[in-house]
Coordinates of all heavy atoms in Angstrom, one line a residue:
M1 N 0.8 -1.2 0.0 CA 0.0 0.0 0.0 C 0.9 1.3 0.0 O 0.6 2.2 -0.7 CB -0.9 0.0 1.2 CG -1.7 1.2 1.3 SD -3.1 1.2 2.4 CE -2.4 0.8 4.0
C2 N 1.9 1.3 0.8 CA 2.8 2.5 0.8 C 3.5 2.7 -0.5 O 3.6 3.8 -1.0 CB 3.8 2.4 2.0 SG 3.0 2.5 3.6
A3 N 4.0 1.6 -1.1 CA 4.7 1.7 -2.4 C 3.7 2.2 -3.4 O 4.1 3.0 -4.3 CB 5.2 0.3 -2.8
L4 N 2.5 1.8 -3.4 CA 1.5 2.3 -4.4 C 1.3 3.8 -4.2 O 1.2 4.5 -5.1 CB 0.2 1.5 -4.2 CG -0.9 1.9 -5.2 CD1 -0.5 1.6 -6.6 CD2 -2.2 1.3 -4.8
R5 N 1.1 4.2 -2.9 CA 0.8 5.6 -2.7 C 2.0 6.5 -3.0 O 1.9 7.7 -3.2 CB 0.4 5.8 -1.2 CG -0.9 5.3 -0.9 CD -1.3 5.5 0.5 NE -2.6 4.9 0.8 CZ -3.2 5.0 1.9 NH1 -2.6 5.6 2.9 NH2 -4.4 4.5 2.1
A6 N 3.2 5.9 -3.1 CA 4.4 6.7 -3.4 C 4.8 6.5 -4.8 O 6.0 6.8 -5.2 CB 5.6 6.2 -2.5
S7 N 3.9 6.1 -5.7 CA 4.3 5.9 -7.1 C 3.3 6.7 -8.0 O 2.2 7.0 -7.6 CB 4.2 4.5 -7.5 OG 2.9 4.0 -7.4
R8 N 3.7 7.1 -9.2 CA 2.9 7.7 -10.1 C 2.0 6.7 -10.9 O 2.5 5.7 -11.3 CB 3.7 8.5 -11.1 CG 4.4 9.7 -10.5 CD 5.1 10.5 -11.5 NE 6.4 9.8 -11.8 CZ 7.1 9.8 -12.9 NH1 6.7 10.5 -13.9 NH2 8.2 9.1 -13.1
Q9 N 0.8 7.0 -11.0 CA -0.1 6.1 -11.7 C 0.3 5.9 -13.2 O 0.2 4.8 -13.7 CB -1.6 6.6 -11.6 CG -2.5 5.6 -12.2 CD -4.0 6.0 -11.9 OE1 -4.3 7.1 -11.4 NE2 -4.9 5.1 -12.2
L10 N 0.7 6.9 -13.8 CA 1.1 6.9 -15.2 C 2.6 7.0 -15.4 O 3.0 7.5 -16.4 CB 0.3 8.0 -16.0 CG -1.2 7.9 -15.9 CD1 -1.8 9.1 -16.7 CD2 -1.7 6.6 -16.5
G11 N 3.3 6.5 -14.4 CA 4.8 6.6 -14.5 C 5.3 5.6 -15.5 O 4.7 4.7 -15.9
A12 N 6.6 5.9 -15.9 CA 7.2 5.1 -16.9 C 7.9 3.8 -16.3 O 8.4 2.9 -17.0 CB 8.3 5.9 -17.6
D13 N 8.1 3.9 -14.9 CA 8.8 2.8 -14.2 C 7.9 1.5 -14.3 O 6.8 1.5 -13.8 CB 9.1 3.2 -12.8 CG 9.9 2.2 -12.1 OD1 9.5 1.0 -11.9 OD2 11.0 2.6 -11.6
P14 N 8.5 0.4 -14.7 CA 7.7 -0.9 -14.7 C 7.2 -1.3 -13.4 O 6.1 -1.9 -13.2 CB 8.6 -1.9 -15.3 CG 9.7 -1.1 -16.0 CD 9.8 0.2 -15.3
M15 N 8.0 -1.0 -12.3 CA 7.5 -1.4 -11.0 C 6.3 -0.6 -10.5 O 5.4 -1.2 -9.9 CB 8.7 -1.3 -10.0 CG 8.5 -2.0 -8.7 SD 8.6 -3.8 -9.1 CE 8.2 -4.5 -7.6
E16 N 6.3 0.7 -10.8 CA 5.2 1.5 -10.5 C 3.9 1.0 -11.2 O 2.9 0.9 -10.6 CB 5.4 3.0 -10.8 CG 6.4 3.7 -9.9 CD 6.6 5.1 -10.3 OE1 6.5 5.5 -11.5 OE2 7.0 5.9 -9.4
A17 N 4.1 0.7 -12.5 CA 3.0 0.2 -13.2 C 2.4 -1.1 -12.6 O 1.2 -1.3 -12.6 CB 3.4 0.0 -14.7
A18 N 3.3 -2.0 -12.2 CA 2.9 -3.2 -11.6 C 2.1 -3.0 -10.3 O 1.1 -3.7 -10.0 CB 4.1 -4.1 -11.3
Y19 N 2.5 -2.0 -9.5 CA 1.8 -1.7 -8.2 C 0.3 -1.3 -8.6 O -0.6 -1.7 -8.0 CB 2.4 -0.5 -7.5 CG 3.8 -0.7 -6.9 CD1 4.7 0.3 -6.9 CD2 4.2 -2.0 -6.4 CE1 6.0 0.1 -6.4 CE2 5.4 -2.2 -5.9 CZ 6.3 -1.1 -5.9 OH 7.6 -1.3 -5.4
W20 N 0.2 -0.5 -9.6 CA -1.2 0.0 -10.0 C -2.0 -1.1 -10.6 O -3.2 -1.2 -10.4 CB -1.1 1.2 -10.9 CG -0.7 2.4 -10.1 CD1 0.6 2.9 -9.9 CD2 -1.5 3.3 -9.4 NE1 0.6 4.0 -9.1 CE2 -0.7 4.3 -8.8 CE3 -2.9 3.3 -9.2 CZ2 -1.3 5.3 -8.0 CZ3 -3.4 4.4 -8.5 CH2 -2.6 5.3 -7.9
R21 N -1.4 -2.0 -11.4 CA -2.1 -3.1 -11.9 C -2.6 -4.1 -10.8 O -3.7 -4.5 -10.8 CB -1.3 -3.9 -12.9 CG -1.2 -3.3 -14.3 CD -0.6 -4.2 -15.3 NE 0.6 -4.9 -14.9 CZ 1.8 -4.4 -15.1 NH1 2.0 -3.2 -15.7 NH2 2.9 -5.0 -14.7
L22 N -1.8 -4.3 -9.8 CA -2.1 -5.1 -8.7 C -3.3 -4.5 -7.9 O -4.2 -5.2 -7.5 CB -0.9 -5.3 -7.7 CG -1.2 -6.1 -6.5 CD1 -1.7 -7.5 -6.8 CD2 0.0 -6.2 -5.6
D23 N -3.2 -3.2 -7.6 CA -4.3 -2.5 -6.9 C -5.6 -2.7 -7.7 O -6.6 -2.9 -7.0 CB -3.9 -1.0 -6.7 CG -5.0 -0.3 -5.9 OD1 -5.2 -0.7 -4.8 OD2 -5.6 0.6 -6.5
A24 N -5.6 -2.5 -9.0 CA -6.8 -2.6 -9.8 C -7.4 -4.1 -9.7 O -8.6 -4.3 -9.8 CB -6.5 -2.2 -11.2
A25 N -6.5 -5.0 -9.6 CA -6.9 -6.4 -9.6 C -7.5 -6.9 -8.2 O -8.2 -7.9 -8.2 CB -5.8 -7.3 -10.0
L26 N -7.1 -6.2 -7.2 CA -7.5 -6.7 -5.8 C -9.0 -6.3 -5.6 O -9.4 -5.2 -6.0 CB -6.6 -6.1 -4.8 CG -5.2 -6.6 -4.8 CD1 -4.3 -5.8 -3.8 CD2 -5.1 -8.1 -4.5
P27 N -9.7 -7.1 -4.8 CA -11.1 -6.7 -4.4 C -11.0 -5.5 -3.4 O -10.0 -5.4 -2.7 CB -11.7 -8.0 -3.8 CG -10.5 -8.7 -3.3 CD -9.3 -8.4 -4.3
G28 N -12.1 -4.8 -3.3 CA -12.2 -3.7 -2.3 C -12.0 -2.4 -3.0 O -11.9 -2.2 -4.2
P29 N -12.0 -1.4 -2.1 CA -11.9 0.0 -2.6 C -10.5 0.4 -3.1 O -10.4 1.5 -3.8 CB -12.2 0.8 -1.4 CG -11.8 0.0 -0.2 CD -12.0 -1.4 -0.7
G30 N -9.5 -0.3 -2.9 CA -8.2 0.0 -3.4 C -7.4 0.7 -2.3 O -7.9 1.1 -1.3
A31 N -6.1 0.8 -2.5 CA -5.2 1.3 -1.5 C -5.0 2.8 -1.5 O -4.6 3.4 -0.6 CB -3.8 0.6 -1.7
V32 N -5.4 3.4 -2.6 CA -5.3 4.9 -2.7 C -6.6 5.6 -2.5 O -7.5 5.3 -3.3 CB -4.7 5.3 -4.1 CG1 -4.5 6.7 -4.2 CG2 -3.3 4.6 -4.3
P33 N -6.8 6.4 -1.5 CA -8.0 7.1 -1.2 C -8.3 8.0 -2.4 O -7.4 8.6 -3.0 CB -7.8 7.8 0.1 CG -6.5 7.2 0.7 CD -5.8 6.6 -0.5
P34 N -9.6 8.3 -2.6 CA -10.0 9.3 -3.6 C -9.3 10.7 -3.3 O -9.2 11.1 -2.2 CB -11.5 9.5 -3.5 CG -11.9 8.2 -2.8 CD -10.8 7.8 -1.9
G35 N -8.8 11.3 -4.4 CA -8.1 12.6 -4.2 C -6.6 12.5 -3.8 O -6.0 13.5 -3.7
W36 N -6.1 11.3 -3.6 CA -4.7 11.2 -3.2 C -3.8 11.5 -4.4 O -4.1 11.1 -5.5 CB -4.5 9.7 -2.8 CG -3.1 9.5 -2.2 CD1 -2.0 9.1 -2.9 CD2 -2.7 9.5 -0.9 NE1 -0.9 9.0 -2.1 CE2 -1.4 9.2 -0.8 CE3 -3.4 9.7 0.3 CZ2 -0.7 9.1 0.4 CZ3 -2.7 9.6 1.5 CH2 -1.3 9.3 1.5
S37 N -2.8 12.2 -4.2 CA -1.8 12.5 -5.3 C -0.4 12.8 -4.7 O -0.3 13.1 -3.5 CB -2.3 13.8 -6.1 OG -2.2 14.9 -5.3
L38 N 0.5 12.6 -5.6 CA 1.9 13.0 -5.2 C 2.0 14.5 -5.0 O 1.5 15.2 -5.8 CB 2.9 12.4 -6.2 CG 3.0 10.9 -6.3 CD1 3.9 10.6 -7.5 CD2 3.6 10.3 -5.0
V39 N 2.8 14.9 -4.1 CA 3.0 16.3 -3.8 C 4.2 16.8 -4.6 O 4.2 17.9 -5.2 CB 3.2 16.6 -2.3 CG1 3.5 18.0 -2.1 CG2 1.9 16.2 -1.6
H40 N 5.3 16.0 -4.6 CA 6.5 16.5 -5.2 C 7.4 15.2 -5.6 O 7.3 14.2 -4.9 CB 7.3 17.4 -4.3 CG 8.4 18.1 -4.9 ND1 8.2 19.1 -5.8 CD2 9.8 17.9 -4.9 CE1 9.4 19.5 -6.3 NE2 10.3 18.8 -5.7
E41 N 8.2 15.4 -6.6 CA 9.1 14.4 -7.0 C 10.5 15.0 -6.9 O 10.8 16.0 -7.6 CB 8.8 13.9 -8.4 CG 9.8 12.8 -8.9 CD 9.4 12.3 -10.2 OE1 8.4 11.5 -10.3 OE2 10.0 12.7 -11.2
Y42 N 11.4 14.4 -6.2 CA 12.8 14.8 -6.1 C 13.7 13.9 -7.0 O 13.7 12.7 -6.7 CB 13.3 14.8 -4.7 CG 12.6 15.7 -3.8 CD1 11.5 15.3 -3.0 CD2 13.0 17.1 -3.7 CE1 10.8 16.2 -2.2 CE2 12.3 17.9 -2.8 CZ 11.2 17.5 -2.1 OH 10.6 18.4 -1.3
G43 N 14.3 14.4 -7.9 CA 15.2 13.6 -8.8 C 16.5 13.2 -8.2 O 16.9 13.7 -7.1
P44 N 17.2 12.3 -8.8 CA 18.5 11.9 -8.3 C 19.5 13.0 -8.3 O 19.5 13.9 -9.2 CB 18.9 10.8 -9.2 CG 17.7 10.3 -9.9 CD 16.8 11.5 -10.0
T45 N 20.4 13.0 -7.3 CA 21.5 14.0 -7.3 C 22.7 13.2 -6.8 O 22.6 12.1 -6.4 CB 21.2 15.1 -6.3 OG1 21.2 14.6 -5.0 CG2 19.9 15.9 -6.5
P46 N 23.9 13.8 -6.9 CA 25.1 13.1 -6.4 C 25.0 12.7 -4.9 O 25.5 11.7 -4.5 CB 26.2 14.1 -6.7 CG 25.8 14.9 -7.8 CD 24.3 15.1 -7.6
A47 N 24.3 13.6 -4.2 CA 24.2 13.3 -2.7 C 23.0 12.3 -2.5 O 23.0 11.7 -1.4 CB 23.9 14.6 -2.0
R48 N 22.1 12.2 -3.4 CA 20.9 11.4 -3.2 C 20.7 10.6 -4.5 O 20.0 11.0 -5.4 CB 19.7 12.2 -2.9 CG 18.4 11.4 -2.6 CD 17.1 12.3 -2.5 NE 16.9 13.1 -3.6 CZ 17.0 14.5 -3.6 NH1 17.2 15.1 -2.5 NH2 16.8 15.1 -4.7
P49 N 21.3 9.4 -4.7 CA 21.3 8.7 -5.9 C 20.0 7.9 -6.1 O 20.0 6.7 -6.4 CB 22.5 7.8 -5.9 CG 22.7 7.6 -4.4 CD 22.2 8.8 -3.7
A50 N 18.9 8.5 -5.8 CA 17.6 7.8 -5.9 C 16.5 8.8 -6.2 O 16.6 10.0 -5.9 CB 17.2 7.1 -4.6
L51 N 15.4 8.4 -6.8 CA 14.3 9.2 -7.1 C 13.4 9.1 -5.8 O 13.1 8.0 -5.3 CB 13.5 8.7 -8.3 CG 12.2 9.4 -8.7 CD1 12.5 10.8 -9.2 CD2 11.5 8.6 -9.8
V52 N 12.9 10.3 -5.3 CA 12.1 10.3 -4.1 C 10.7 10.9 -4.4 O 10.7 12.0 -5.0 CB 12.8 11.1 -3.0 CG1 11.9 11.2 -1.8 CG2 14.2 10.5 -2.7
H53 N 9.7 10.2 -4.0 CA 8.3 10.8 -4.2 C 7.8 11.1 -2.8 O 7.9 10.4 -1.9 CB 7.4 9.7 -4.8 CG 7.6 9.5 -6.2 ND1 7.4 8.3 -6.9 CD2 8.1 10.3 -7.2 CE1 7.7 8.4 -8.1 NE2 8.2 9.6 -8.4
V54 N 7.1 12.3 -2.7 CA 6.4 12.7 -1.5 C 5.0 12.8 -1.8 O 4.5 13.3 -2.8 CB 7.0 14.1 -1.0 CG1 6.3 14.6 0.2 CG2 8.5 14.0 -0.8

C-alpha cells in the first residue's frame, strides 16, 4: 500500500505500473483514497542517488 501511494499512476517505471495493476486487480476500494496525489518528486542528485516521491 505504501509503495503504491508513493508511485505515479502513469509513471514510466515498470515497478510503479505493476503496483497500480495489482491494486486494480484486488477486491475492495483500493489502496489509494480518492483525491490522493503525489505532492513532489525529487530527482536523483550526487548526494541522493535515488528518485524520491512525497
Side-chain angles (χ1 to χ4, degrees):
M1 176 167 54
C2 292
L4 179 67
R5 290 180 180 183
S7 66
R8 288 183 283 153
Q9 186 171 9
L10 301 175
D13 186 300
M15 198 65 183
E16 287 180 333
Y19 295 146
W20 285 92
R21 282 194 308 273
L22 177 62
D23 183 61
L26 294 174
V32 179
W36 186 274
S37 66
L38 291 174
V39 175
H40 192 73
E41 179 177 285
Y42 296 94
T45 66
R48 182 187 56 245
L51 179 67
V52 178
H53 289 152
V54 179

